[in-house]
Amino acid sequence: MSFGAISAPAVRSLSHGAKEANCWMDTGEGGLSPYHIEGGCDIIMQMGTAKYGMRDSDGKFSPEKVKELSHYVKAFEIKLSQGAKPGKGGVLPGGKVTEEISRIRGIPAGQDSISPNRHRDIANMDDLLDKVAYIRELTGRPVGVKTAIGGWEFVNDLCDTVLRRGREYAPDFLAIDGGEGGSGAAPQTLMDHMALPIAEALPRVVDSLIQADLKGRIRVVAAGKLVTSARAAWALCVGADFVNTARGFMFSLGCIQALRCHQNTCPTGVTTHNRRLQRGLVVEEKYLRVANYARNMNKEIDMIAHSCGCRHGRELKREHVRIVQTANQSIALNMLYPYPAAGSRAAAKQATANAAA
Ligand SMILES: Cc1cc2nc3c(=O)[nH]c(=O)nc-3n(C[C@H](O)[C@H](O)[C@H](O)COP(=O)(O)O)c2cc1C
């Protein structure tokens, strides 16, 4: 979540809490603030379509700024879309663009700030992989891609392009956001109806990577209401390597779902820049709750894994899950989504290339 969508005390609590629990924090698209760095946790810096924090005076990608940022962050993430508003971009209302936010993002204060619905310098999969390789080369940091999923073309195209060009062009991770994802502000129609739910998107993305023999090369991060240990464990069973959550951590900060994120009047101080409303969000107390949430999620995921006979969460597999369907009948997840043959797509592509040669 960006600094801008959420407040300074919220970002500070998350930064300190993440350090305490030894987990990472993603900046969201709003640039890197001193509050992200303050706690000393590992940071993933997101590059959104507006290139906030990494843009020149014309709003274009600035290699100098990205190189400078690489001293503070552990990885970069190119955001194509998020589950709450795929294809839409975003608006930070002028009321939330304070002097400080304008400095961090590189935009004028007090004016609505628009992030376009696409990266102007990325028009197709080759462009995307070029950008991944370029930022990785420039910064020496891993580079991933975040996207919501609307069908199978995207991930298949990504796999085919990596197979054609070479594994050195692969993104280091894919962060998959389910259609149930949250946002500071988005049209209700997109929030409610667009992008596949994570329950359908995740297994199919994982399967495509297995078929292309890229599952070991491209790490998979999943999000979309995976806020309880059981839901996060489900994602690990399906094939995610990691789980992200935004709203899980908002709850740990005291979010009461007042639904005013876009109005700058959040009564709990989580999404407002009004100092008076922020007074209830006491960093010295809240960072411990953030840390407790992360630690207990991990502890309970391992407990679920032990209960399945695994040594830890990373050994969880599809056969450990049963999905309850109508009339309380359940079906094994590995029957619903059978593991595909590893490398089958890669082999088929190779055979076609050989035949053509
Ligand atoms: C207040 C808020 C701000 C967010 N800002 C961003 C953002 O800047 N970039 C992004 O990729 N996703 C953003 N998201 C989406 C989350 O990162 C996440 O992908 C989504 O909410 C699914 O996770 P969850 O169900 O655990 O909240 C935001 C979500 C919320 C609730």
Side-chain angles (χ1 to χ4, degrees):
M1 295 172 284
S2 327
F3 171 52
I6 59 171
S7 66
V11 176
R12 292 177 60 214
S13 305
L14 292 173
S15 170
H16 286 277
K19 172 70 179 173
E20 182 82 10
N22 200 17
C23 74
W24 78 57
M25 179 186 192
D26 192 304
T27 60
E29 65 173 315
L32 182 71
S33 73
Y35 310 121
H36 290 104
I37 303 169
E38 186 182 292
C41 64
D42 287 348
I43 295 171
I44 298 183
M45 168 97 196
Q46 185 174 88
M47 180 175 97
T49 51
K51 317 275 196 287
Y52 291 132
M54 41 175 90
R55 54 198 258 149
D56 61 19
S57 49
D58 295 331
K60 297 211 177 91
F61 177 83
S62 161
E64 294 76 26
K65 292 218 169 116
V66 173
K67 200 157 169 54
E68 164 77 22
L69 284 163
S70 67
H71 299 304
Y72 302 98
V73 307
K74 283 279 194 304
F76 289 89
E77 176 183 73
I78 302 175
K79 176 187 153 183
L80 299 181
S81 62
Q82 65 184 94
K85 46 181 176 176
K88 186 63 186 163
V91 183
L92 187 68
K96 290 181 94 172
V97 187
T98 60
E99 285 293 337
E100 186 182 37
I101 286 172
S102 88
R103 255 194 330 275
I104 290 167
R105 294 195 179 202
I107 52 173
Q111 293 179 20
D112 289 356
S113 177
I114 312 280
S115 18
N117 64 0
R118 56 180 287 268
H119 289 271
R120 299 216 161 101
D121 47 353
I122 300 174
N124 52 44
M125 194 56 75
D126 279 303
D127 288 353
L128 177 64
L129 299 193
D130 283 342
K131 199 65 149 192
V132 166
Y134 175 65
I135 298 178
R136 191 163 45 213
E137 177 72 24
L138 181 72
T139 62
R141 298 295 192 201
V143 181
V145 173
K146 172 170 179 171
T147 186
I149 297 290
W152 315 122
E153 298 84 354
F154 170 81
V155 67
N156 286 335
D157 187 16
L158 184 137
C159 290
D160 290 348
T161 312
V162 171
L163 293 175
R164 172 168 55 79
R165 296 185 63 177
R167 292 163 79 92
E168 64 275 22
Y169 283 92
D172 296 291
F173 61 92
L174 266 184
I176 305 300
D177 207 24
E180 58 276 81
S183 162
Q188 198 68 42
T189 312
L190 297 188
M191 275 207 280
D192 289 346
H193 302 294
M194 298 309 290
L196 290 170
I198 194 67
E200 189 178 1
L202 183 61
R204 298 289 297 263
V205 166
V206 168
D207 285 356
S208 292
L209 293 175
I210 294 173
Q211 284 166 331
D213 209 12
L214 289 170
K215 179 68 175 66
R217 171 67 186 87
I218 302 175
R219 299 289 164 194
V220 177
V221 188
K225 293 192 180 168
L226 305 176
V227 299
T228 61
S229 49
R231 290 299 296 151
W234 165 85
L236 298 182
C237 289
V238 173
D241 296 288
F242 304 96
V243 170
N244 269 346
T245 174
R247 284 165 297 179
F249 282 108
M250 288 177 88
F251 296 143
S252 76
L253 289 169
C255 167
I256 56 164
Q257 302 186 79
L259 305 179
R260 291 195 220 152
C261 303
H262 58 300
Q263 290 173 347
N264 207 20
T265 55
C266 170
T268 60
V270 178
T271 65
T272 178
H273 303 297
N274 179 323
R275 287 282 163 84
R276 193 179 66 79
L277 293 170
Q278 287 177 358
R279 277 190 311 194
L281 206 168
V282 179
V283 176
E284 292 70 25
E285 288 173 10
K286 288 291 160 54
Y287 91 93
L288 288 171
R289 295 180 186 217
V290 169
N292 285 342
Y293 174 60
R295 280 205 209 98
N296 282 317
M297 279 285 274
N298 284 328
K299 189 172 150 199
E300 286 193 8
I301 290 167
D302 276 342
M303 191 165 70
I304 288 170
H306 298 160
S307 176
C308 293
C310 303
R311 281 169 299 181
H312 47 75
R314 292 200 178 282
E315 288 184 355
L316 287 168
K317 298 266 177 310
R318 292 184 190 177
E319 44 270 38
H320 294 123
V321 177
R322 291 190 73 87
I323 304 290
V324 180
Q325 301 186 312
T326 49
N328 286 334
Q329 282 184 323
S330 69
I331 177 168
L333 188 62
N334 58 330
M335 304 294 283
L336 209 52
Y337 290 106
Y339 285 109
S344 49
R345 191 175 179 91
K349 287 273 154 200
Q350 191 57 51
T352 314
N354 291 348

